[in-house]
């Protein structure tokens, strides 16, 4: 028996690679080093490599036998623009850039599965290993699709996976229906008439209008959206005035935030209601409001049949009951664009306890290397079951 037989997924090597990626994070569409490593790992295993989709995206294609079915497995590669405050020996060496969401782990577990499948070849059909850039709000999935992802690599289904602190590393959650909310941005600028802070009656106060708008915006979800339909509206940024001129009421105040929903109807409603509220407040104060709503990512909604297939693979990979009542998240993921193009399923893989409360997008978060094996087993089981 060889060392490879004892370690079919090259776990020790993959852990070392994961930590190397963690130490050298790259932002969306800047994953040059990461994509070079991914392409080299795929090519070394004899997998056909395609580069340049969505700028830095990589697709590895493995065809075995004469099976006609094809599937896509997606891993995201990008990091976040934030500092790492941990004391890990492999902490980020790149200023204000950090793998704070586990994409380093996602990349490595898909590589481990791809290399294993290339050796064992226990399936018949085609699998495309999709290494996506720029998931963190920069539009990587849309860019890959615009570059002809599904025209060049047609598939019958697409699958995504994300780590989840709080679930054990050998535990998975697979649920049909909504998994992640839409992720949209909105902005309102109130245009008033600036004046001396001691003479507010001579102007039209955009600052006071903005304050009223901020206090009222939470009524959109609380009093306008059906209470049986989950939704979130949050104000996250405000700009107006100058702390060096605290006797000046400014002409303009700008407010921006996010809106989340699980259905197209509620998404439409949020866009409409925020705008109506802004215009109404502006009219009350005798000023004007400029409003924009930017649709970024639609909701991730798991296809029923594709989810059934993923559930079967998760049961094989974990050897324990799979969580099937896991609540959807109000976070977003642009895997939604894959799921809108072909039947899709997005699953959750345990990342163990949140150490010191470090959840996703926390400056002390770290992917749990013990989850790599479960993730690689899941991808392998999925391919071998889907492409029998």
């Amino acid at each position: 028996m060889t060392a490879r037989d004892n370690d079919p997924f090259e776990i020790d090597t993959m852990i070392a690679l994961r930590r190397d990626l963690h130490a050298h994070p790259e932002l969306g569409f800047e994953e040059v080093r990461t994509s070079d490593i991914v392409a080299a790992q795929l090519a070394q295993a004899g997998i056909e490599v395609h580069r340049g989709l969505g700028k830095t995206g990589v697709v590895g294609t493995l065809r075995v036998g004469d099976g006609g079915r094809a599937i896509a497995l997606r891993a995201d590669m990008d990091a976040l623009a934030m500092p790492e405050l941990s004391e890990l020996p492999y902490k980020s060496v790149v200023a204000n850039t950090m793998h704070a969401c586990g994409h380093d782990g996602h990349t490595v577990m898909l590589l481990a599965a791809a290399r294993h499948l290339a050796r064992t070849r226990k399936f018949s059909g085609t699998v495309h290993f999709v290494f996506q850039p720029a998931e963190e709000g920069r539009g990587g999935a849309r860019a890959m699709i615009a570059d002809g992802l599904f025209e060049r690599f047609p598939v019958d289904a697409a699958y995504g996976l994300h780590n989840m602190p709080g679930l054990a590393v050998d535990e998975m959650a697979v649920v049909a229906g909504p998994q992640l909310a839409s992720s949209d941005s909105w902005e309102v600028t109130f245009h008033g008439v600036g004046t001396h802070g001691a003479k507010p009656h001579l102007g039209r106060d955009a600052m006071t209008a903005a304050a009223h708008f901020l206090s009222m915006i939470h009524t959109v979800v609380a009093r306008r959206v059906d209470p049986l339909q989950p939704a979130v509206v949050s104000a996250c940024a405000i700009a107006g005035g100058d702390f060096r001129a605290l006797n000046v009421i400014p002409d303009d105040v700008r407010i921006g935030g996010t809106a989340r929903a699980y259905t197209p109807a509620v998404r439409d409603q949020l866009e409409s209601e925020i705008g109506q509220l802004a215009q109404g407040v502006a009219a009350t104060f005798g000023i004007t409001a400029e409003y924009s709503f930017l649709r970024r990512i639609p909701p991730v909604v798991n296809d029923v049949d594709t989810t059934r297939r993923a559930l079967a693979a998760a049961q094989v990979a974990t050897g324990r009951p799979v969580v099937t009542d896991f609540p959807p998240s109000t976070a977003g993921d642009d895997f939604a664009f894959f799921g809108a193009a072909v039947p899709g399923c997005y699953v959750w893989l345990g990342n163990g306890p949140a150490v010191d409360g470090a959840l996703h997008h926390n400056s002390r978060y770290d992917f749990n290397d013990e989850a790599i094996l479960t993730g690689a087993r899941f991808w392998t089981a999925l391919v071998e079951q889907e492409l029998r």
Side-chain angles (χ1 to χ4, degrees):
M1 181 175 289
T2 66
R4 179 170 290 181
D5 292 326
N6 286 323
D7 185 13
F9 292 104
E10 307 169 299
I11 292 301
D12 290 341
T13 300
M14 291 296 130
I15 289 174
L17 177 57
R18 202 284 298 181
R19 295 182 177 188
D20 175 76
L21 295 178
H22 188 92
H24 301 89
E26 296 172 301
L27 300 178
F29 296 128
E30 300 174 19
E31 306 95 337
V32 176
R33 180 181 186 274
T34 304
S35 61
D36 283 347
I37 290 172
V38 167
Q41 288 280 331
L42 294 172
Q44 185 185 58
I47 297 170
E48 184 180 312
V49 177
H50 310 269
R51 303 191 65 176
L53 284 91
K55 297 182 181 178
T56 47
V58 180
V59 177
T61 298
L62 182 59
R63 299 181 182 87
V64 176
D66 56 4
R69 186 171 174 82
I71 60 174
L73 313 182
R74 175 270 210 168
D76 35 20
M77 300 187 294
D78 58 323
L80 286 151
M82 58 184 288
E84 181 164 8
L85 301 182
S86 77
E87 297 302 325
L88 296 169
Y90 49 87
K91 69 179 294 186
S92 173
V93 299
V94 184
N96 203 46
T97 308
M98 176 191 176
H99 269 299
C101 206
H103 297 184
D104 47 349
H106 300 168
T107 297
V108 164
M109 66 178 67
L110 186 57
L111 278 175
R115 291 170 62 86
H116 177 69
L117 287 162
R119 291 191 297 269
T120 57
R121 305 175 73 85
K122 295 179 180 178
F123 66 94
S124 181
T126 301
V127 56
H128 299 293
F129 305 100
V130 179
F131 293 86
Q132 181 204 310
E135 184 277 325
E136 295 287 0
R138 295 191 176 191
R142 185 183 292 183
M144 292 192 83
I145 292 172
D147 281 347
L149 175 66
F150 292 124
E151 288 77 22
R152 293 176 59 184
F153 310 100
V155 297
D156 298 289
Y159 295 88
L161 177 154
H162 205 289
N163 74 90
M164 178 54 68
L167 294 175
V169 293
D170 61 347
E171 188 174 24
M172 296 186 69
V174 182
V175 186
Q179 293 305 294
L180 293 138
S182 58
S183 179
D184 301 318
S185 299
W186 56 266
E187 283 194 18
V188 176
T189 301
F190 291 103
H191 298 291
V193 178
T195 185
H196 197 296
K199 300 179 181 180
H201 62 291
L202 299 180
R204 288 290 182 268
D205 191 350
M207 187 70 74
T208 302
H212 278 259
F213 173 79
L214 282 173
S215 68
M216 295 174 66
I217 194 170
H218 301 294
T219 65
V220 169
V221 173
R223 288 295 179 266
R224 302 296 294 175
V225 175
D226 182 341
L228 298 179
Q229 294 292 331
V232 176
V233 175
S234 292
C236 302
I238 183 168
D242 192 322
F243 278 88
R244 297 168 298 178
L246 295 178
N247 59 351
V248 177
I249 296 174
D251 290 282
D252 304 321
V253 178
R254 180 185 178 196
I255 302 173
T258 189
R260 309 289 171 114
Y262 293 105
T263 67
V266 174
R267 195 182 190 194
D268 292 343
Q269 184 182 11
L270 295 181
E271 178 176 4
S272 174
E273 297 283 358
I274 297 169
Q276 288 181 28
L277 178 61
Q279 298 299 338
V281 169
T284 298
F285 285 87
I287 63 176
T288 61
E290 183 180 352
Y291 173 61
S292 64
F293 190 94
L294 178 60
R295 294 188 173 224
R296 295 184 179 276
I297 303 172
V300 173
V301 181
N302 281 351
D303 172 74
V304 173
D305 182 61
T306 311
T307 302
R308 176 183 59 80
R309 297 167 184 267
L311 176 61
Q315 290 169 335
V316 170
T318 63
R320 62 182 293 180
V322 177
V323 179
T324 57
D325 58 352
F326 198 72
S329 169
T330 50
D333 191 306
D334 66 359
F335 179 81
F337 291 107
F338 291 176
V342 298
C345 179
Y346 185 99
V347 306
W348 303 101
L349 168 64
N351 196 60
V355 178
D356 297 326
L359 299 169
H360 299 138
H361 295 213
N362 182 286
S363 56
R364 289 181 171 81
Y365 167 89
D366 185 31
F367 179 83
N368 192 331
D369 289 325
E370 293 183 11
I372 294 174
L373 180 58
T374 307
R377 284 174 171 167
F378 168 74
W379 286 133
T380 299
L382 182 63
V383 170
E384 292 178 349
Q385 289 188 6
E386 277 267 33
L387 308 177
R388 292 186 184 277

